[in-house]
Amino acid sequence: MKIVSIFAQQLYSFVYQIDDGSYNTDEYDRLMGLWTDVDYLRSYAKENNILDINKFVLDRLEDAEEVQDLLEELTTQHNPLEYYFTPLYDHETRVKILSLQKGKINQNKLRLYAIKIDDNCFVITGGAIKMS
């Protein structure tokens, strides 16, 4: 496993080693690649019994663009990434270093998961499409 910088020395991402010993792309790029791949989204919708597949695909494409734009805006304007990442568990009232975090925008179904390693510094570990 390796860690690479994504945005402005504040946001990093894991790069996981695959079975043949080589390294995959970093988690952020891998997830954004999936979340902007129409064929993948259509297949995902079918596997999860989504009724309106076209709406699901269009909504996820918009969600992915919104996540990318927000992260870029936060880092280029030097705003804290805490505007996007929040504690994974609601009972964590005091945000501590090395805590699990989720990146979430209201009404957006895409989630990035990260570990907070310092103030305003996170490592993306994975992500998901929220279905409920």
Side-chain angles (χ1 to χ4, degrees):
M1 175 175 33
K2 299 190 287 187
I3 299 175
V4 296
S5 177
I6 303 294
F7 291 110
Q9 304 301 316
Q10 296 170 299
L11 187 59
Y12 298 84
S13 183
F14 283 137
V15 180
Y16 295 109
Q17 194 169 18
I18 53 180
D19 292 339
D20 66 5
S22 64
Y23 286 92
N24 204 350
T25 187
D26 68 82
E27 274 302 284
Y28 176 80
D29 286 338
R30 185 186 74 80
L31 291 166
M32 287 303 158
L34 291 175
W35 294 340
T36 57
D37 180 336
V38 173
D39 291 334
Y40 170 80
L41 292 172
R42 284 187 177 287
S43 175
Y44 186 92
K46 287 176 187 173
E47 289 172 17
N48 288 280
N49 302 316
I50 303 297
L51 297 177
D52 190 344
I53 292 174
N54 289 333
K55 180 176 178 6
F56 175 84
V57 170
L58 291 174
D59 288 348
R60 296 310 69 83
L61 292 171
E62 289 175 10
D63 289 349
E65 185 175 347
E66 184 179 25
V67 169
Q68 290 172 323
D69 290 348
L70 178 63
L71 288 174
E72 188 172 330
E73 179 183 323
L74 289 174
T75 54
T76 57
Q77 293 182 3
H78 305 291
N79 289 322
L81 288 171
E82 282 86 352
Y83 288 153
Y84 177 67
F85 289 105
T86 60
L88 181 60
Y89 301 109
D90 292 334
H91 67 273
E92 284 186 353
T93 55
R94 227 182 80 219
V95 178
K96 58 186 178 186
I97 305 302
L98 295 179
S99 66
L100 300 175
Q101 305 278 308
K102 64 183 170 192
K104 170 177 143 177
I105 302 170
N106 287 338
Q107 305 301 316
N108 189 310
K109 299 290 185 189
L110 302 180
R111 300 290 184 264
L112 288 175
Y113 296 102
I115 298 171
K116 182 176 183 177
I117 57 173
D118 203 351
D119 288 332
N120 202 36
C121 189
F122 298 85
V123 179
I124 294 172
T125 61
I129 299 174
K130 183 179 178 194
M131 296 301 292
S132 60

